[in-house]
Amino acid sequence: FLFFLFAPTLVYRRHYPRTTCIHWGAVVTRLLEGIGVVYYTYLVFRWVLPQFDRLSVFSDYTSFFAARVGAMGPGMALMFLGHYLILHTWQNMFAELTRFADRRFYEDWWNARTWEVFYRKWNGVVHEFIKEYAYLDLHELGGLTRTQAMGVAFFISAVIHEWIISFVFGGFYPILLLLFGGPGMLFIVLTRRMRARVWSVFLWLMLG
């Protein structure tokens, strides 16, 4: 159990796959990457915060829309930086320090053509947690269909994310919960059976 507290996973097992030794060169590399990502995040925030400060003084929708479009690039940059920092740099560094061998913290979400695949590949750590402790229990023990179990598990995931954000920032502003429960669920239904490459373009546009 003590190992579980430090291992980069949210799913408890009696035994985990382990590597034979710690590669300290990889640890230092991940640490330097983390410092670099934090610095770049600081630079992006310095550029984008004035954009949001001006949102409260716009008197027409045109100016508001222009500022919204102008913030799309930095917003996506922050999303990528945050993903890289947490799910690549941080997780791999702790995996190396604890000799944790299962390092599939994310998959090729950038190639996803449906939102269901995107949510599954974006964050493997949280996906496995929700799957093991919510989805499978709801489906196998609760008697819900796969679609119903997925919907309930998706809602639970949204609530957990919102609770974490509210705790960190000290306030409740349920924009993430609304995005998960509204457009998030709608896009899953709309793109579930879509396999054409154009839907990958649609996904990236919606992320922006």
Side-chain angles (χ1 to χ4, degrees):
F1 181 76
L2 183 62
F3 174 80
F4 168 70
L5 295 179
F6 293 93
T9 180
L10 297 175
V11 178
Y12 178 75
R13 304 280 191 230
R14 292 179 63 88
H15 302 285
Y16 295 96
R18 306 289 296 277
T19 58
T20 57
C21 63
I22 298 176
H23 298 88
W24 290 103
V27 174
V28 173
T29 300
R30 298 287 88 81
L31 179 62
L32 293 177
E33 285 180 350
I35 295 174
V37 170
V38 170
Y39 176 69
Y40 278 115
T41 302
Y42 165 74
L43 294 180
V44 174
F45 265 113
R46 281 193 60 184
W47 188 88
V48 75
L49 284 179
Q51 302 285 337
F52 289 104
D53 289 338
R54 290 195 292 269
L55 287 177
S56 60
V57 298
F58 290 141
S59 58
D60 58 88
Y61 289 107
T62 303
S63 300
F64 179 85
F65 181 76
R68 173 66 179 86
V69 173
M72 287 172 62
M76 292 192 71
L78 291 174
M79 181 182 72
F80 296 147
L81 289 169
H83 180 274
Y84 192 85
L85 176 64
I86 297 173
L87 291 173
H88 182 80
T89 302
W90 180 270
Q91 296 289 75
N92 277 290
M93 185 175 71
F94 267 85
E96 195 63 55
L97 288 171
T98 57
R99 297 192 293 113
F100 187 79
D102 186 4
R103 304 185 183 184
R104 193 175 61 178
F105 303 123
Y106 60 91
E107 297 182 59
D108 59 334
W109 55 266
W110 48 88
N111 291 325
R113 299 182 184 182
T114 70
W115 281 82
E116 184 176 355
V117 173
F118 168 76
Y119 283 126
R120 185 170 68 247
K121 292 185 174 183
W122 166 262
N123 189 337
V125 179
V126 172
H127 170 72
E128 287 299 318
F129 174 80
I130 296 297
K131 177 184 175 182
E132 290 289 333
Y133 297 121
Y135 173 79
L136 292 179
D137 286 345
L138 290 167
H139 177 57
E140 297 175 359
L141 302 179
L144 299 182
T145 65
R146 291 182 180 275
T147 302
Q148 291 171 339
M150 185 190 70
V152 176
F154 194 80
F155 177 76
I156 293 174
S157 176
V159 171
I160 292 174
H161 280 80
E162 196 63 51
W163 179 82
I164 293 173
I165 291 175
S166 299
F167 177 78
V168 171
F169 291 101
F172 179 67
Y173 188 63
I175 185 66
L176 189 62
L177 181 63
L178 294 176
L179 288 175
F180 265 85
M185 288 297 296
L186 178 63
F187 290 154
I188 288 178
V189 175
L190 288 177
T191 63
R192 171 169 290 182
R193 300 185 183 278
M194 303 304 177
R195 296 294 182 268
R197 192 178 300 275
V198 67
W199 288 101
S200 181
V201 178
F202 171 78
L203 185 144
W204 275 94
L205 289 175
M206 294 302 99
L207 287 176

